[in-house]
Amino acid sequence: MINTRTILSVAFLLLVQMAVAQRPANRPGGPGGEGGQALVFGKVLDAQTASPLDFATISLFSAIDSVLVTGGVSDVDGKFSVDAPFGQYLIKVEFLAYESIYLPKVALSPANRKVDLGKIELGASAEILDEVEVVAEKSELQFNLDKRVFNVGKDLANRGGSADDLLDNIPSVTVDAEGVVSLRGSENVRILVNGKPSGLVGIGDSDGLKSLPSSMIEKVEIVTNASARYEAEGTAGIINIVLKKDKQKGVNGAIDVSAGVPQNYGISLNLNARKKNINYFINYGFRNRTGPGRSETNQQFLIPTEFPFNEQIGTRDRGGVSHSIRGGLDLFITEKDVLTGSIMYRYGNDFSNAFTTFRDFDANRTLQQITTRTQDEDETEPNLEYDLSYEHSFARKGEKLTAQIQYRNSSEVETADFVDQHFFANGEGRPIADRLQRSENDEMDENFLVQMDYVLPLTEDKRFEVGTRMTLRNIRNDYFLEEQLDDGWSKLPEFTNDFIYDEDIYAAYAIFGNTISKWSYQVGLRLEHSNVVTELVQTSEVNDRSYTNLFPSAHLTYEINPGNSLQLSYSSRISRPRFWYLNPFFTFSNNRRIWGGNPNLDPEFTDSYELAYLRYFDKVTFGSSIYYRHTTGVIERLTTADAEGITRTRPENLATSNAIGLELTTTADISKKLRVDYSANFYRSVTEGQFNDQSLYAEAITMTSRVNARYRFWKDAEVQLRGDYRAPARTTQGKRKGYWGLDLTFSKDMLEKKATLTIGVRDVFFTRVYRYTTETDQLIADSFYQRRARNVTATFNYRINQKKKRQRGGGYQGGGDEGIF
């Protein structure tokens, strides 16, 4: 439990930040921006009365492809100021019941950092101005040198799905057979929600993603070389899921209703209401789903066993009902002070039913016996999360102090019943009583986070930034397995224990950035002290691991010309073992293939280097990256076998891993009706180490690729085709085979474009099958697993006081404040 230490630590951090932030609010110096940024400012007035218009919307569109880049709103005096990267822009100014206007093209550059648009007059009866045509859509994928943004609403294939479906469609991100998320081939990725850890992801893994409707998500941000500003966790990078929240005046939102086969029903509601200085928002999502899957494993044991050959054939049905609700408000206390509070609650009631057939063969491959195992599992998972954040903007443009506090409490109770039945090779029952077992896994997870950040522009080109962060986490997992004997139920000691996990992390960082002509650079240093203690209560095994580390980062950018940039970056990262990787007991669904954790794991450390190039053409955007990662203490899941024909898989620390890769991403407007996106990640990784006096080595040369084509017809209808391919790769104990898949989606607007009907088929040819080969000195195994069946989903989306997102005249959309960048 979180104790008095929490309060004392919070007080210490607050005092430190208050000391840093004690400086005059109204000091001389005009508005300035961060490196590579410029400032656009002005005043919006009523054309007839010359009175100021507050909450007028100012939107900056890229002059290259009409993509909305940034924007803002005017204050009570009609004044506004918007920071924007260097480039050429079309600027739109609009206000409810007034005629919107477009301003002439504006160029922002190192020589033109401040642009005063002067007084902008809007009138309801003004003469219609020559309107600038804004026809291009905001891409599903948007590029920046330091991150990529995937706009969820633009991808038809994600409608009616879940968050893990969505991630599996993002370039360089994959989700494997067990639902584990990887980025650029590495599982060590940090998944955040609105820039912070969240119970929506799950307690010990990313399992909660399957119950989060994709319709609640606005966008996903991918960063592969984070600066010192962000926690060092995640050696491959960070995936940030941004939930929907708008800030437009009045009431607006959207309702989504979906139904599919296999059973997949959902409803989501996203509403926003803004009145004067208060903005209210609420998101609700409901899902009722089933996910049938199948698997098969053929094993040959190379050590003496009674049955040298074994075949395991399994079917599984997973699903359940989940509710997710998040509500809150933004309180604009003054022009420079914003307080945001939110509460999130999620409740899941899931099930997992499995039936496995074991067929045992002798050395001549003659079938000797058959055993079946049935699993009926139920799971309840309530999650509660509180967030409070505060932002203060100083008089000098760009100077800002932010603070946030988060508390999360999650629990999870899994109960399962197992029945083993025994048969002769001809299928007749053997004179052996059925074996009855049952397990219970009771888990509690409590988290507390406090963070403060301060940004100080020293000049127009230079800035300094400092921050502190503290996270406290406590997990208790009570697990037991018992078997019915003649005298009743008896616990199996080797599969029963209470596991306690305590993790306290204290961090501080500093960043300095500067711009010199076309060059800009940023250097940072982050200090993190980690105290991780695990305890197996019944056996009194305590593992106390404390360590303090420095994590430097550096970014150097050269702007060749507007829309043509090059960046070299470096960051040092850490990947602490996940809770499930440490917990010795967490599944017994297959009593011949046992999975568990290793409480003696050490963290991984990675040095990451990347050279990125970004180029905007008239109708094409091209991005490429060459990256290299050197990792020590690599964690790999390794499999061993025993004389009873039982395999055990658990994670182990190996020695090193070196990975080098090339990532290509491009979007192209082939015509006004056809848009094509393509991405590919080619990489080579070498992993080596020692395990049980055996040298392990794996060289993997592989790739992942995706192509997406969207064609518009009838003026209000679209069809989308998405294909993906994952090449085979070597692992430390075998290889993973390749697979491909195809999705097809149709969408049509209706009800005067207030609604959209979408029908999609995922995995049209039923080809997304995960196939593995395991090769050790103890066994050889070939396995396949189909995580989900082909599914067909229909989704109806109705917008309340909203224009469809692809109609670019809608002004600046809120929600970007929930990101981490």
Side-chain angles (χ1 to χ4, degrees), residues 574-608:
I574 186 175
S575 180
R576 300 174 183 88
R578 306 174 188 178
F579 168 70
W580 284 120
Y581 274 20
L582 295 170
N583 185 3
F585 315 115
F586 62 84
T587 179
F588 201 66
S589 59
N590 186 331
N591 58 349
R592 297 202 194 180
R593 298 180 66 192
I594 299 174
W595 291 64
N598 177 3
N600 297 313
L601 286 177
D602 292 318
E604 296 183 359
F605 293 93
T606 294
D607 292 305
S608 177

Side-chain angles (χ1 to χ4, degrees), residues 127-143:
E127 182 179 351
I128 301 297
L129 302 176
D130 292 334
E131 189 168 333
V132 178
E133 185 181 12
V134 182
V135 296
E137 296 186 4
K138 190 174 183 179
S139 307
E140 287 90 358
L141 185 65
Q142 290 181 284
F143 302 85

Side-chain angles (χ1 to χ4, degrees), residues 85 266 327 340-341 360 395 445 547 581 720:
T340 300
D360 296 312
D445 183 11
Y547 39 89
Y581 274 20
Q720 176 175 294

Side-chain angles (χ1 to χ4, degrees), residues 226-233 508-510 524-530 547-554 570-576 604-607:
S227 71
R229 179 184 305 114
Y230 311 110
E231 57 177 318
E233 179 67 31
Y509 74 89
L525 185 64
R526 185 178 186 89
L527 171 69
E528 289 193 355
H529 174 74
S530 307
Y547 39 89
T548 302
N549 305 100
L550 291 173
F551 300 97
S553 66
Y570 163 79
S571 68
S572 176
R573 311 284 297 169
I574 186 175
S575 180
R576 300 174 183 88
E604 296 183 359
F605 293 93
T606 294
D607 292 305

